[in-house]
Amino acid sequence: MTALLETRGVWQRFGGLIANSDVSISVGRGEIVGLIGPNGAGKSTLFNLIAGVLPPTQGSIIFDGEDVTNLPAAARCQRGIGRTFQVVKSFETMTVIDNVIVGALVRNTVMREARRKAHEVLEFTGLAARADVLASDLVPAEKRRLEVARALATEPKLLLLDEVLTGLTPTEAQTGVALVRKVRETGVTVLMVEHVMEIVMPLVDRAIVLDLGKVLAEGKPSDVVRDPNVIKAYLGDRHAVGA
Amino acid sequence: MGLLYGLIAVGLALIFGLMDVVNFAHGEFLMLAMYVTFFLFTFFAIDPLLSAPLAAAALFVLGAAVYLVIVRFAMRAKANVGMVQIFATFGLAIVMRGLAQLFFTADYRSVPNSWLGGKTVSVAGIFLPQPQLFGALVAIAAFGGLYLFINRTDFGRALEATREDPGAVALVGIDKNRVFALGWGLGGALVGLAGAIMATFFYIYPDVGASFALIAYVTVALGGFGSVFGAFAGGIVVGLVEATTALILPPSLKSVGIYAVYLLVVFIRPRGLFGSM
Amino acid sequence: QTSEVVIGATYPLSGSGAQVGVDAQRAFETAIDIINNDQDFELPLAKGVGLPGLGGAKIRIVYADTQGDPQKGRAEAERLITQEKVSAILGSYQSAVAVTISQICERYQIPFMSADNSSPSLHRRGLKYYFRASPHDEMFSAGMFDFLDAMKKKGAKAQTLALFHEDTIFGTDSANAQTKLATERGYKIVADIKYRANSPSLSAEVQQLKAANADVLMPSSYTTDGILLVKTMAELGYKPNAIVAQAAGFSEKALYDAVGDKLEGAITRGSFSLDLAAKRPMVGKINDLFKAKSGKDLNDNTSRQFMAMIIMADAINRAKSTDGEKIRDALAATEMSGEQTIMPWKRVKFDESGQNNDADPVLLQYVGGKFVTIFPSQAAVAEPIWPMK
Amino acid sequence: MDKQFVERRRRDLITAAGLAAVAAIVPLFVKDVYVQNIMVLTLMYAALSQSWNILSGYCGQISLGHALYFGLGAYTTALLFTKFGVLPWFGMIAGGLISAAIAMALGYPCFRLGGHYFAIATIVIAEIGLLLIQNWDWAGAALGIDIPVRGDSWLKFQFTRSKLPYFYFALVLACVAWFVTWWLEDSKWGYWWRAVKDNPQAAESLGVVVFNSKMGAAAVSAFLVAVGGSFYAQFVSYIDPGSVMGFQFSLLMALPAVLGGIGTLWGPMLGAVILIPITELTRSYIGGSGRGVDLIVYGALIVLIALARPEGLVGLFSRRRKEATR
Amino acid sequence: MLSVHEVTTAYQGLVAISAVSINVEKGEIVCVAGANGAGKSTLLKSIAGAERPRSGTVTFDGKRLDGMAQHLITATGIAYVPENRRLFPRLSVRDNLRLGSYLYRGDANREGPLDLVFNLFPRLQERLEQRAETLSGGEQQMLAIGRALMTRPRLLMLDEPSQGIMPKLVDEIFQAVKRIRDAGMTVLIVEQRMAECLEIADRAYILQTGRVLMQGPSAEIKGNPDVRKAYLGL
Ligand SMILES: Nc1ncnc2c1ncn2[C@@H]1O[C@H](COP(=O)(O)OP(=O)(O)OP(=O)(O)O)[C@@H](O)[C@H]1O
Ligand SMILES: Nc1ncnc2c1ncn2[C@@H]1O[C@H](COP(=O)(O)OP(=O)(O)OP(=O)(O)O)[C@@H](O)[C@H]1O
Ligand SMILES: CC(C)C[C@H](N)C(=O)O
Ligand SMILES: [Mg+2]
Ligand SMILES: [Mg+2]
């Protein structure tokens, strides 16, 4: 079986700055892959390239066997790429349920269906109680959850999660971890960025480490955290001991 | 002439561009400045050139007051702040016209002969009317001053920051109301200057602002919001386009030329010539 | 019987035409003063109090603001008719607004008199209730060309013309009439400049006028653009040989207050001439009455507004009724000699389309700070100065 | 919760039907033509503002050039009728379609522009339209078009004295505009539009084709406004460029929605019902003085409403409703 | 130094914190912890003047802060880094930092704290001309803290500063907080990462549904079995 997502030699430059340089990664169907790396390593940029916010300066992106490099974001969503934004972008003047309905409309053209789907997703993500609240009234953690809900409502094959589990107490984070597992069980492949090792390590099947725009390391989480380069660039000494 | 559009536009650029607030009463500010100049001239025989600073001061007060009394509250809107501001200032424009008609009557006025009025200098066969020439000089000086003020001082930076996020400037100890009131005051003062110069060669009546408002907006947008230099460049472009389209198109269509240039520019550069936002 | 007759007046009382509307109010008040009180003038209804035909009923006027908008003019006319129960309507400065007001008047069978609208199309729409005592643009223009013909005969240089007109109904109609007459009578139009009304700048236009350098400059502009035109001309160093203007701005005091010093010798057509006061003393006295109210002399517009009220009141008086149809019939039967007016007209008599074809325009020249009548010869008090200054 | 939503929509619909029914019988009691005239204008502005609201309120593309579509509707109808004898009913449809087509053609370059640049582009385009018509002799140029009224006729949609036919047409127009909004509000388009307004980038990521959404909104909005323009031409039976295509008109179209509550279902209606009578009454009853007092009163009212209720007057109602359900 | 007394704050009628009292002494690092929605951020907002308390008092060095305009509170020496950072997105990193020293416009040494900032976050120095909105998530967090330091606060309030920061830097930030304290400032910090936070904090408060559930020296809190279970996930 081919990989669900593949990036082939992807580059992204911002003026003189190289945010992604020759990134080739692949994500298999049904995997949960962690994308980690220092601040400013280019993780969110790579997400933007995969989701179609930006065209890569160079390289191509293959999704589900199709070259989607030149497709706009909306078309990629229709093909099954769902994403969240690290800096949340809720529809502030709309209620939570309406936010999610927008996502649900991609696959449900009948309003009633879309609404039902949206409720289902809210139930699933634990936002049901906040359905009729305006998105602008949510606290940051809830907004991040709304990002996930909206993306899930598009019924993606691949879900890109950019730091959606930050700002949670360890206990709450466990609920988040469970949620991601549940998502995977429904057949969705997950590629996630997260800095909290306590969350990432037990959750992901595989970790890819970016540093300075390049792939620094890749492999099983337990191996990756022992990689001296990763420790030096990313984890710091304490985690070296901890892991 | 272009520079004058520029000068009128620069007041707008300040309020509109730098603060991201639309002032639909801009033309009425200009009208008021012209009346101030007119009355100073008729009652105290103060030449428009001398009264320009007085008009600027009067309009500074007006600008700051309009912000503190009206715009500040319009900005409380949670959604569509822009539209609320547009209509609050639109209402204000109507009120100002009404007040002008009530107090100054609907008569057309004009400052008969100022020191410069009606004189021309001829440079290499091109006639340059002195008032406009002087206006151009003032405009350049005002632009220069404002440019330095905005780009080199803390106030300029504070103004930009306040526009970006009025709710966040308190985090660094800036009083947004003070900054905006000052910004409006300055915008007003520039219009005051423009009005005083305009009064030397334009007629004055309660609705005179309408003739200029649209062209001033286009000038700012053409140059690009948030840029003093842009307003300056916009003014020059508008002046040039106006003069040249009249040669190709019937004069009644000359503003079509300006509008077309605006569209052309923003279709190619969606933020105007020098816009940052 | 009725003790008062209500007449409506629809004018722009705010917005860019407000000044004319406000002046019109003073003109109407002057006329009503004369009608309602006992005054010794050779005008109809001046002597005695009120309208004798209606048992001495007095005239009351109701103003409505059109803001220069046809739709608003229409609504106001309808309000005046249905709520204020006016017997007739006078108006309306802008011809576009007169179009809708006259339509409404037609529907309600209430007479409408154009005091100061000059678009020739107005009386050609087959309306029964439309009247205009004063000349329209074609008549005015004909007067102007009669004058030019006379000047040419005297050997003056008046062969090439430059038209300068705004892009409104007034400007367009005026220019159309002038173009037609120029071709008919063998003049050459070297520049025909149509400009946008209330432009912020007329430099480009004036440059073109200057380049064309016609013998006669013929502007059709309101006060605002008139002032700007003259100032711009001075600034760009353009001094035309002669100016023969289609009134409007060029008959307004405001324009001469502003730029009179640059207009020595400018000529404008008009329907009124203060010089008439020499022959007809009441003209001077009425002018004084008006001046006391407004601080201005009667001019092209205010004199016509004044006369419109007198003529309408006269018709109502003869109709002995406030009924629209009867007033209309009385108006249609109007036969007023020139002496009974303050105008240099032959007489007031309406043709079947409601136009008075015997209202001759005059040409006035601005000399030494006031207007002097220079044409036609029977009204003239001085020889034209040509070229100007 | 879903039930609540369905109920709210049904309640909106019933309220609207009720209001329409009440409005429909009002002229049977109010015979004064002046008041009827105000009611016609109110309904017309309500319809226009409701249509404007679709593009600018829901989809967030602030247009200050809708006078263009209004004028196109008015001119298409009037020209077709006076030059070719085409009945205004067809003219209305033609005007609507032409406007929608032009709106989309203009949208193509304009929708790339953001915020003020877009708004000014709309102003400028409408102004160009105005100037072109003003200089187009065949279309009457500045003289405008005088539509000859020859007695009452439904076919030609002209009536000499009676305002009732106009009233009912305006009522239908307002109802249609409202209903279209109501219907679109809970449709794919409605959600897309609001998403595009709030955050285009997020909308794209959720499969919303932002550009198409804007185009759709522009077409619907322009079509309805043009029908309003056709109506206006018939109602006033005289049009000239300045009075149907002026910039003021674009503002007046937006004003009710802004004061009532931009991007809301009821805002434009509420705004028009309050604003238009004020506009007319201040002019008629205090405008006669010639001293500008009416402007002062009218302008001050606008300022006050804008400041007292920056979110729009509908806030007055919905807040109360929210509290009632709490 | 800072004393919050019985403060109640509500959003549109919904009470978020009720009668919360806390104290911060000069030179202390105080940690406030609690679940999502417990009211931690609301507490900081109420002190900083971003929300107006419904009742209760806030005093800072004997000065009443409640009811004072937010910018004046900043001027008294309290710097607040909100959860959502509130940078000036289209201004450069340099301008964002410079605005931080707005209060010291006339001061010759206005950029004094810059050394400390660059020392803590060298990344910012590399990115001086970049617009704040294009920074990566973590870089934005650094800038927000940096800007706050530029106001030369006596009391620094941080709302979840470790959010979005890579592990290596999280430790550094906590160390930095210590250094900041050692540089003479007092720190009030809201954190989810209680374990790390308690390590550096002198005292801690735990909020639950808008009330103070527990308070005491860090060691004591850390040892509490309920806390270990509920908040440390142990
Ligand atoms: N539009 C842009 N212009 C210039 N530089 C940019 C732009 N967008 C991103 N960058 C820079 O590119 C680098 C990579 O940014 P990116 O957001 O991908 O980092 P990241 O790995 O997601 O980091 P973090 O974990 O902090 O979120 C950063 O240094 C950032 O400043
Ligand atoms: N702007 C707002 N409008 C309405 N309610 C709000 C708003 N901000 C916060 N709340 C509510 O106030 C309560 C406390 O929120 P607060 O942000 O203080 O919690 P927190 O402890 O900081 O949570 P977190 O860990 O998610 O940051 C929550 O129930 C939240 O829903
Ligand atoms: C010369 C003017 C008095 C013309 C008149 N106002 C009109 O437009 O009809
Ligand atoms: Mg990132
Ligand atoms: Mg919080």
Side-chain angles (χ1 to χ4, degrees), chain A residues 130 136-142 167 172, chain E residues 11-12 14-17 34-43 45 51 83 159-160 163 190 192 207:
Chain A
R130 306 286 276 163
S136 57
D137 286 345
L138 295 181
V139 296
E142 288 171 327
E172 288 160 346
Chain E
Y11 298 100
Q12 290 138 34
L14 289 175
V15 174
I17 53 172
N36 258 301
K40 308 179 294 294
S41 301
T42 306
L43 173 62
K45 284 187 217 165
E51 289 292 340
E83 212 166 357
D159 198 344
E160 308 202 22
Q163 237 182 64
V190 164
Q192 300 289 8
L207 292 192

Side-chain angles (χ1 to χ4, degrees), chain A:
Chain A
M1 199 171 77
T2 55
L4 179 64
L5 171 81
E6 229 183 291
T7 69
R8 294 186 185 155
V10 161
W11 289 75
Q12 179 62 48
R13 293 194 182 84
F14 296 111
L17 188 100
I18 299 174
N20 283 161
S21 92
D22 197 20
V23 178
S24 300
I25 62 165
S26 85
V27 180
R29 288 170 208 272
E31 268 192 304
I32 299 181
V33 177
L35 184 62
I36 58 179
N39 290 123
K43 305 178 294 292
S44 301
T45 304
L46 187 62
F47 269 24
N48 282 339
L49 299 181
I50 296 170
V53 174
L54 300 162
T57 316
Q58 200 181 313
S60 56
I61 291 155
I62 314 295
F63 178 71
D64 211 2
E66 182 189 2
D67 186 337
V68 296
T69 317
N70 295 313
L71 288 181
R76 296 196 203 188
C77 172
Q78 279 149 16
R79 280 171 179 63
I81 300 180
R83 64 93 45 103
T84 66
F85 290 92
Q86 181 176 11
V87 179
V88 293
K89 297 186 191 300
S90 329
F91 304 129
E92 299 270 310
T93 69
M94 298 166 72
T95 59
V96 168
I97 179 79
D98 287 355
N99 265 268
V100 180
I101 288 175
V102 174
L105 280 165
V106 183
R107 312 236 179 268
N108 303 274
T109 37
V110 180
M111 271 319 295
R112 194 162 336 111
E113 290 301 302
R115 181 168 294 274
R116 195 191 43 71
K117 172 79 194 170
H119 276 300
E120 199 181 291
V121 171
L122 284 185
E123 209 62 60
F124 187 82
T125 51
L127 272 173
R130 306 286 276 163
D132 292 326
V133 174
L134 281 182
S136 57
D137 286 345
L138 295 181
V139 296
E142 288 171 327
K143 283 192 177 176
R144 280 191 287 271
R145 207 145 10 128
L146 176 57
E147 289 276 322
V148 180
R150 252 179 3 184
L152 276 178
T154 68
E155 300 176 34
K157 292 178 193 154
L158 171 68
L159 182 61
L160 306 172
L161 300 176
D162 199 347
E163 297 196 32
V164 292
L165 298 179
T166 47
L168 303 177
T169 62
T171 325
E172 288 160 346
Q174 289 319 311
T175 336
V177 167
L179 180 70
V180 176
R181 288 217 171 92
K182 250 175 22 189
V183 168
R184 192 250 300 266
E185 275 157 30
T186 64
V188 180
T189 304
V190 178
L191 178 60
M192 61 186 293
V193 171
E194 201 62 67
H195 285 300
V196 186
M197 287 305 112
E198 292 79 352
I199 295 174
V200 183
M201 289 306 126
L203 181 57
V204 304
D205 304 321
R206 199 154 58 86
I208 300 171
V209 188
L210 280 190
D211 184 29
L212 301 171
K214 289 198 256 306
V215 179
L216 178 72
E218 193 179 340
K220 281 218 300 245
S222 48
D223 296 340
V224 164
V225 294
R226 285 201 198 89
D227 185 322
N229 289 328
V230 176
I231 292 171
K232 182 156 161 276
Y234 181 59
L235 294 172
D237 301 333
R238 196 161 72 118
H239 286 269
V241 186

Side-chain angles (χ1 to χ4, degrees), chain B residues 95-224:
Chain B
V95 172
M96 285 178 69
R97 275 184 227 165
L99 286 172
Q101 191 172 344
L102 183 62
F103 289 113
F104 308 145
T105 77
D107 281 348
Y108 302 101
R109 323 267 188 160
S110 122
V111 176
N113 266 320
S114 79
W115 173 57
L116 289 172
K119 296 199 183 94
T120 43
V121 226
S122 156
V123 185
I126 304 165
F127 287 93
L128 293 173
Q130 278 199 10
Q132 265 113 323
L133 202 64
F134 183 75
L137 290 178
V138 174
I140 293 176
F143 274 118
L146 191 66
Y147 182 82
L148 292 178
F149 190 61
I150 296 299
N151 289 296
R152 293 288 149 77
T153 66
D154 281 281
F155 173 77
R157 212 168 283 119
L159 193 65
E160 280 184 79
T162 315
R163 177 237 301 154
E164 291 285 298
D165 188 346
V169 285
L171 292 174
V172 294
I174 296 173
D175 179 358
K176 68 163 192 250
N177 285 329
R178 221 181 112 142
V179 170
F180 271 166
L182 250 162
W184 273 80
L186 269 177
L190 289 166
V191 181
L193 271 186
I197 297 162
M198 294 292 308
T200 62
F201 61 92
F202 215 78
Y203 50 84
I204 307 163
Y205 75 116
D207 275 41
V208 67
S211 304
F212 290 94
L214 183 55
I215 209 92
Y217 284 111
V218 174
T219 305
V220 181
L222 183 69

Side-chain angles (χ1 to χ4, degrees), chain C residues 77-113:
Chain C
E78 198 160 32
R79 177 177 68 88
L80 291 178
I81 294 169
T82 58
Q83 291 195 342
E84 304 286 347
K85 310 276 184 240
V86 298
S87 306
I89 293 183
L90 309 174
S92 64
Y93 195 45
Q94 287 103 340
S95 295
V97 186
V99 173
T100 56
I101 297 174
S102 54
Q103 271 178 1
I104 285 293
C105 287
E106 192 76 10
R107 295 183 194 178
Y108 284 91
Q109 304 185 322
I110 294 290
F112 171 68
M113 185 176 306

